[in-house]
Structures are given as C-alpha cells and as structure tokens.
Amino acid sequence: MSEEKMVSLNTIDDQLIKKAADEGIETMWDRKKAMKAPCGFGEKGVCCRICGMGPCRVSPVAGKGAQKGICGATADTIVARNFARMVAAGTASHSDHARDIAHVLHMASRDGNYQVQDEKKLIALAQEWEVPTEGRDIYDVAHEVAEIALNEFGKPFGTLRFPDRAPAPRRKIWEELNIMPRAIDREIATIMHSTHMGCTSDAESLLRLSMRTSLANGWGGSMLGTELSDIVFGTSTPRMTEANLGVLEEKQVNILLHGHDPCLSEMIVAAAQDPEMIKLTEEVGAEGINLAGMCCTGNEVTMRHGVKIAGTFYQQELAVLTGAIEAVIVDVQCIFPSLAPITDCYHTKFITTSPKAKITGATHIEFNEEKALESAKVIVREAIENYKNRKQDKVFIPQSKAQAITGYSNEAVIKQLDRVVNSNIDPQGTVKPLADVIKAGVLRGAAGIVGCNNIKTKHEYSHIEIMKKLIANDVIVVTTGCAAQAAAKAGLLSKDAIKLAGKGLQAVCELVDIPPVIHLGSCVDNTRIIRLVSAVSEHLGVDNSDLPVVGVAPEWMSEKAVAIGTYVVSSGIDVFLGITPPVTGSPEFVDLLTNKIEDMTGAKFFIDENPLTLADKILERIEEKRTKLEARL
Ligand code: NFS
Ligand code: SF4
C-alpha cells in the first residue's frame, strides 16, 4: 500500500483493516466512507438545534441565504454558543471523572481496597487547604481533604482553590476578565443556561464564559483528577514499557483496558495479580494474564505500573480484530459503540462497567467501588474463562512494538533535574535547571503535544512529524493522552530518540537522563503541564504568556480537547490546532480565537491542518516569544 493511502503511520494497521475486509467486518474507515461529504453547516458550526423552532441552519456566507435563525441568532451567536457547549461537555467529562476519584479517596481506609499511596502529597495538599495534619490519622486527613475536594464542585460562594496556584500576574488577568472560576458544576450549569434559547447572544461574552468554564476544568476538575489520583494510586515514576498491538501475547489471556478512570483499572491490575486468578489462568491453559492499555486508562496504568500500551484511540477496533483479546474492559469516555458488533465477530467479551457508559450489545458488569477488588475479580474471571474460546485461525497479532519510558510526574521531572544541581550553590527540588536552559537558549522552548487521533488525518502522522521537527530544533516536548501513546509507538519516548534531537536538547537529555519527548500521563494530567509552566514562570518572575512555550493538539477530536485548548490559552499558553474546530462559519468568532483573545490572555489559537507548516508556525512563535523574553530578563 502506498504511503499516502495508509490510514496511519503503521503498516500493521493496514494489515488489520485488510483482515477486517476479508472477514466482512465493518470498521470506522468503512463508516467514514459511507458518510460521504460531511454536512457543510455542521462543519462550520452554523447549525443550531437549541430550541424546537429549529433546527436553523444559517448561511456561513455573508449576504447569501438565510443570515439568521428564526429567533434572529446570527452565525456568530450560533458558532459561539456551540463552541461554549463543547467546552461545557469537555469540562463535565474531566471533572466528573475527578469527582469519582474524590469519592474513592473519601472511602479509602487502611484495610480497604483503596488506600493512600502518596502520604506526602496528601499532607502537602492538606496544608495548602489549611486542613490540620499534626497528630492526626492520615485517613482522617484524607477524608477531610476529599470532602473539601467534593465541595469544590458545588460550593455556593467564592471561587475555586487551585487557581491560587497560578502565577500572580495570571490570577490578576483572570480577575480583570471576570473569568475566575467558581464551583465546577456551577460553571458548567452557567454555560448551559447562558446558551439556552434567548440568553447570551454576544460572541465575545460566550467566549469569556467558555474561558471561565474551561478554567474550572484545568484549574479545577482536571487538576483534582491528577492530584487525587496521585494520592490514592501513587505519584508516578519513570518506568520502561512497550507499545503497539505487538504487546498482545499469543499464549496469555489478553485483557484490554480502555477508557479513563483509574478507580477501575487499578483494581483490575490488582485482581490480575491475585493468586486465585493466577491459578485459574493455569487451569485454562494460559501462560499468564497480559494487561494492555488503551487511551487514557492505558496512560494511567502504564505510568503507575508499567502496564503495556496496546495503542491509541483509533486502534480500539483494530485491537479486537487481532482476535487475540479475551476481554475489552471499559469504563468511561472515548469508547466506540462499534466495539459491540466487532467483538461479536470474535470470542472477545466487551464488558462495560460504569452506569455512565452503558453500551448497547455489551455485557454490563457494574463496578462497585465499595467492593472494588471483588468486583474486579468477577470481571477478570470472565476474561480468563473466555481464553478457551479463542479461535486460533482468526488470530493475527502484528509483530510490532516499541520500547518507551512512561510515567514522568512533575515530581519525577524535578528529581531528574536535581541531577544537574550543584547543591553547594542551588537548592534541590526546583525547576531552576529547566528555567536556566530555556533562558540561555540551550532549549529554544517547550511544547506540550497532546490529544486524540482523528480520522480526518492520517493517524499519528501529524503527532510524530511535529514532535520530530520540534525536538530537532531544540524544543523539548512533553506529551499526554493518545499523543503520548503515538510517541511511545514511534519510539520517541525512549532514550534512543535522543539522537533525533538538536544539539542543545541532546545535551540536556544526556545530562538530565531523560528522553526528548516526556510522557506526563493522561489528558487530565495536562494540568501537570500547566503547573510545570507556571513553576518556570514564577521562577523567572514572569507570566506564562511570556515563555516560549506552546500547547499543540495535532489530531484532536473530543469535546474534552476543546475544553483543554481553551484553558491552556486562558492560562497564557498558545495552542496550535491541527484540526479546524467547527467555528469557521463565524469570521468574528474565528477572529476572537486566533487574534483578539491574545489581547485578553496573552495567548491565542493557531489553526493549520498541514502538520509541516503548523510545526513551522510553532517554531516561529517560540522565537518571537524568546525575543520578547530576552529583552525583559
Ligand atoms: Ni484525551 Fe483520553 Fe485519547 Fe483524546 Fe480520548 S483517550 S482524555 S480525549 S482520544 S487523547
Ligand atoms: Fe433557531 Fe434560534 Fe431556536 Fe437556534 S435558538 S434553533 S437559531 S430559533
């Protein structure tokens, strides 16, 4: 198959798609073909179905066709309203995930399934929130912290706590713009209210509401997700793993963990090590249990346990097509409903576990956090007992995988940086070495390359091209989500990739002993990135928007990504999008996102679907920011 026709960077994916065609199984690529051209109105964001008088489709071309909806809403209103609702949905998803983790912290106990794994981090958070810790049982502290966290969702007065962690100039901007986020659920509800028929119609006001809600995600729900997961499941440390569908094992029970919520996957990891389960595995004639992760659940378990990465978002159907998976165990988000009919073509069990994500045709075994391990064992047992049903003639495991280092928390990054600190002169445990090399220009800047895969592009091509170009130009890359898994598969998360870096980055990687692309976790862990950037800003006495630092979402697709992009720009960091969001029907809203928002936040969106020119624009912007920064420092 020629390079252009490949659906992804990996030839193995095309082999599996061919297998699907041979076996008469439908995949996302077939459905994309059946979809023909996308709806032009939807693509431009000018379709409104917010009230029963619609749907109203207004013309994206000025002066031609219907210019207003029945109520008089213009393209600007409709586009901005649709955008705001995407931000609200993304914020809801990340934050509701965090809420579940807060509940688990609230039920954690010394002899329970969930325990406090990182006491130091818990104590630090307790002190930040002025919870007494002296002489108290750590679990009393944990429960009080969890309760405060839960109150962040619905407190009636005041603003959120975590924005206090942002650099002072940034907080001032949020206050002046009146976008300091209040309770998390409140910001989501306010957007839903303001975008109801007949409420806010002004595009700029809708953008400001979106910014405030997105901040309730980045400096609220998502940040709680990261912090509380570290407390309950442990703060991650670097570990070796392998990535791509070649991690599936011929002679073992293969379990695919897919979704987002570590409350389930952590227990599956524990259940897979349970003697009773191991005995059962022997009884069915398998040589072991092989867990493989996908999407953000995959990131959560690889960063804390080194669980292998089966692949990214777009490979979920392909993984089943190997015919070698006994069970796909899912929790919430980014799960294709098509996994039900595809798993039906094999022996594979498709097990949903969350009442928030029931899928037609799946086997639903509800995960009960109160009896977490027991519940996980029931699910793992299903998988093991299914091993005997595997049809060998339908199995094809592509022999492709790469080595990767995953699991750099900010704490782990700082520990690596300590290697170059002369403790006679400088204190340990700070970002000073990172700030120093950025200031000196050894590193030209830093990029957070994050987000999904999208069928509108050749999968992973944009991620990998941009990562390679940036590291070759001495821009260090941190990565999360499916972008991180793409990097793992391409070998960029290994120290072997240091040779692809420019001289400056090579020197840094060797001294600090890190790969040039650093795995920082799942998508909620983008909060690790904004905290790292904020720490460097504070160290240099500047604001985030002064740093040569960018966010990039080359292949984004989810509403969560829209919320992330918005909180990153609101946090003062430019965001480069490789997929055009559905906003082009409103030149005013496009101007707000790609121009005017800079006057408010010091950062803006850049949109370019060509990854090569997008990378050029990133490098150009980094140099522009450098020039300004050098003049200031
Ligand atoms: Ni992020 Fe995780 Fe992947 Fe995109 Fe989906 S897994 S929260 S949304 S597709 S990166
Ligand atoms: Fe049409 Fe206005 Fe109703 Fe939207 S809110 S569907 S534009 S009448």
Side-chain angles (χ1 to χ4, degrees), residues 48-51 53-54 56 69-71 73 78 81 197:
C48 181
R49 45 171 189 73
I50 275 172
C51 91
M53 295 196 290
C56 298
I70 313 265
C71 66
I78 295 173
R81 225 160 35 186
M197 197 273 164

Side-chain angles (χ1 to χ4, degrees), residues 29 34 91 109 152 198 229 319 350 389 464 523 547 560 571 609 612:
W29 292 277
T91 301
S109 66
E152 289 294 275
S229 295
F350 178 33
N389 298 324
I464 302 308
C523 292
L547 293 181
K560 289 175 287 178
S571 300
E609 296 199 345
L612 304 177

